[in-house]
Amino acid sequence: FADANSPSIASSFDQEATAVLMARIAVFKAKVDDSPDVLRWLDRMLICLCQKYADYMKEDPVSFRLTDYFSIYPQFMFHLWRSQFLQVFSNSHDETAFYRHILNEEDLNNLLIMIQPTLMSYTFDVGPQPVLLDSALIKPDVILLLDTFFHILIFHSETVAQWRKAGYQDQDGYENFKELLENPVADAQDLLFDCFPIPRCIVCGQGGNQARFLLPKLNPLTIHVSTSMIGTAQAAGAGQAIFTDVSLQV
């Protein structure tokens, strides 16, 4: 066993395995404790880790630094905190039981996708590329492909959804738009082929009710939209989504 203050502990820290272990412990605790208590426990565990292994100056948040051994662990905890495993308000008891059962059965790679889903971005200018789970990516001319293990979602932003509804992809001169629509569909089919149980596949546009499967997975914008803009054409034109959660950057 290593000494409690040995540097080998930090250098041997496995962020992915720890995130999965914490997820399983949190789900076990959720069976006997109230959800707010479990979320506070996760917060305390993350704070304790940062107190011991982060570099910072007291009362100076800007000075806070985590080494590469711990750099992505906080974002795993952020997405676990907001996941369907612990935030059960919008799910039935059967759905929650199913999600938690799968969490205890799958391997590490699949569990990491459940905790922090993968997101691909498709645009006219740039080829398909993996991107961070950030609401700033919801731009008028982008298509997003989200893989949560349980759902595979193709999200058409405002302009793309309008053009698709108008049938531009079937008209001459819009071959590049047709290709843009087909690329995420092909990638989604590849994901479906490799998955078991087979996830639910969803195609939706910005403002549609199915977009609810995407928005809770994204890191909220750090800017604030005044309440006078909510639900108005001005807010919709800005291409912004309204969130109440705290941003990962805060």
Side-chain angles (χ1 to χ4, degrees):
F1 293 95
D3 182 77
N5 296 317
S6 172
S8 64
I9 293 180
S11 61
S12 303
F13 185 72
D14 189 325
Q15 303 177 79
E16 291 85 359
T18 304
V20 168
L21 178 61
M22 292 296 290
R24 286 179 169 173
I25 295 175
V27 164
F28 174 78
K29 291 176 69 69
K31 294 180 180 179
V32 294
D33 295 334
D34 293 333
S35 179
D37 293 335
V38 178
L39 298 177
R40 283 192 289 268
W41 174 79
L42 275 178
D43 291 340
R44 289 196 302 271
M45 294 299 100
L46 180 58
I47 291 170
C48 289
L49 181 140
C50 292
Q51 285 177 332
K52 185 171 182 62
Y53 294 106
D55 295 324
Y56 58 91
M57 296 177 61
K58 190 175 181 180
E59 299 182 0
D60 184 9
V62 179
S63 67
F64 183 86
R65 295 289 185 277
L66 277 171
T67 65
D68 292 340
Y69 303 122
F70 301 92
S71 58
I72 62 174
Y73 180 73
Q75 71 187 45
F76 281 134
M77 294 298 98
F78 174 80
H79 291 292
L80 173 62
W81 201 96
R82 305 172 76 229
S83 71
Q84 69 271 21
F85 302 115
L86 302 178
Q87 303 288 350
V88 299
F89 177 76
S90 61
N91 299 324
S92 68
H93 294 302
D94 289 342
E95 287 176 315
T96 298
F98 170 73
Y99 293 146
R100 291 176 173 177
H101 170 75
I102 295 296
L103 179 71
N104 287 307
E105 295 294 325
E106 288 294 331
D107 60 26
L108 184 140
N109 290 331
N110 288 335
L111 291 176
L112 291 176
I113 294 175
M114 297 179 204
I115 296 171
Q116 182 173 316
T118 61
L119 188 66
M120 296 288 294
S121 173
Y122 302 78
T123 63
F124 289 107
D125 302 326
V126 182
Q129 59 180 351
V131 293
L132 297 175
L133 292 164
D134 199 305
S135 55
L137 294 168
I138 302 180
K139 301 176 181 178
D141 60 347
V142 69
I143 298 177
L144 300 176
L145 174 62
L146 179 75
D147 178 12
T148 72
F149 184 85
F150 300 107
H151 303 93
I152 293 177
L153 182 139
I154 300 174
F155 174 85
H156 297 144
S157 59
E158 184 179 9
T159 300
V160 174
Q162 291 174 353
W163 287 5
R164 177 173 174 265
K165 185 176 181 181
Y168 285 3
Q169 67 274 16
D170 300 322
Q171 300 179 20
D172 294 335
Y174 288 91
E175 289 78 9
N176 60 337
F177 179 60
K178 181 179 180 180
E179 183 180 359
L180 180 67
L181 292 177
E182 291 175 347
N183 286 339
V185 174
D187 290 343
Q189 289 175 344
D190 291 339
L191 292 173
L192 287 170
F193 180 79
D194 294 332
C195 290
F196 183 84
I198 297 176
R200 177 183 174 186
C201 190
I202 302 168
V203 179
C204 67
Q206 186 169 349
N209 61 349
Q210 299 295 319
R212 71 183 186 275
F213 290 100
L214 170 68
L215 298 181
K217 302 297 183 182
L218 301 180
N219 177 37
L221 290 170
T222 55
I223 63 174
H224 298 280
V225 181
S226 65
T227 55
S228 62
M229 290 179 61
I230 297 177
T232 66
Q234 183 180 3
Q240 296 174 354
I242 308 303
F243 297 91
T244 58
D245 287 350
V246 175
S247 170
L248 177 60
Q249 279 75 37
V250 174

